Amino acid sequence: MLQTLTDLIDMRSFSNLWYWIALAVTWSSASRWVIGVPWDMVIRARRRGGVAAEQLHTLMRLNVARYLLVAREGGLAATALGSFLMTVVLLLGFAYQVEFCQALSFIAVPMTLVAWLSLRVAQHYEAALTEGVPSTEVLIHVLSRHRLHVQLVGIVALTITAFWGMVQNLNISILN
């Protein structure tokens, strides 16, 4: 019984079901919430217009202001701390072969790219606001394109993670 329980709760990251669930939830959430705007709100604004479109514009303005406020007021500190932590995790994972840090890297590195893409879109949207409020069609196009980019990053990240995890599991099972 104890052996079965130990086999079921494997603490190695790439053979642990909970890691793969966390990875799937991370990318599902990143794809569903585009710059903090739920994707169903974008679909509703596209189909109905009117109040749904106004709500989309309002939420987008609020989230862009929030993203840019954080970037401007704490961006340097967040970048320095994030770079330090990312370096530590990458070194522990790939120089010292700590599997948990490798697994964490396969989530953190692509999500950093997604955060940078989101910040870039927020800056472009703020610049567009100085020229007047973009139309709903333009906003939906920008959010759709950004979501596509997030999904592409996710597909590449999931593929690389799956291959790396498979190699790790095969190496460990061969050694045992």
Side-chain angles (χ1 to χ4, degrees):
M1 178 72 166
L2 184 61
Q3 181 63 35
T4 306
L5 188 60
T6 306
D7 289 341
L8 184 64
I9 306 173
D10 188 5
M11 294 309 289
R12 290 181 296 122
S13 298
F14 293 111
S15 62
N16 192 329
L17 178 64
W18 292 109
Y19 172 74
W20 296 102
I21 290 172
L23 187 68
V25 167
T26 298
W27 284 108
S28 174
S29 297
S31 179
R32 175 161 168 27
W33 294 86
V34 183
I35 309 182
V37 177
W39 189 248
D40 63 298
M41 181 178 265
V42 176
I43 300 296
R44 198 174 317 113
R46 179 185 294 153
R47 289 183 183 157
R48 296 184 189 161
V51 173
E54 290 175 25
Q55 291 173 345
L56 176 65
H57 281 281
T58 302
L59 188 56
M60 183 67 175
R61 273 194 306 275
L62 289 170
N63 286 331
V64 163
R66 184 176 55 97
Y67 270 59
L68 295 178
L69 178 70
V70 169
R72 289 178 181 139
E73 291 190 359
L76 181 60
T79 301
L81 181 63
S83 298
F84 171 74
L85 291 175
M86 190 73 69
T87 302
V88 168
V89 168
L90 288 169
L91 282 174
L92 285 173
F94 297 100
Y96 293 101
Q97 300 298 315
V98 177
E99 186 175 334
F100 177 75
C101 291
Q102 290 175 1
L104 192 59
S105 297
F106 284 114
I107 294 174
V109 170
M111 288 307 292
T112 302
L113 179 60
V114 168
W116 177 76
L117 289 170
S118 297
L119 185 60
R120 201 182 79 180
V121 169
Q123 289 170 334
H124 287 298
Y125 183 78
E126 183 188 52
L129 280 177
T130 60
E131 300 169 6
V133 178
S135 69
T136 303
E137 293 79 25
V138 169
L139 178 56
I140 290 172
H141 175 74
V142 166
L143 289 173
S144 298
R145 202 167 113 209
H146 178 59
R147 183 175 190 235
L148 176 65
H149 291 152
V150 169
Q151 288 174 335
L152 290 174
V153 169
I155 288 169
V156 170
L158 286 169
T159 303
I160 292 170
T161 303
F163 280 121
W164 185 265
M166 183 175 55
V167 167
Q168 294 299 319
N169 288 334
L170 285 174
N171 284 339
I172 289 173
S173 64
I174 289 172
L175 296 175
N176 289 335

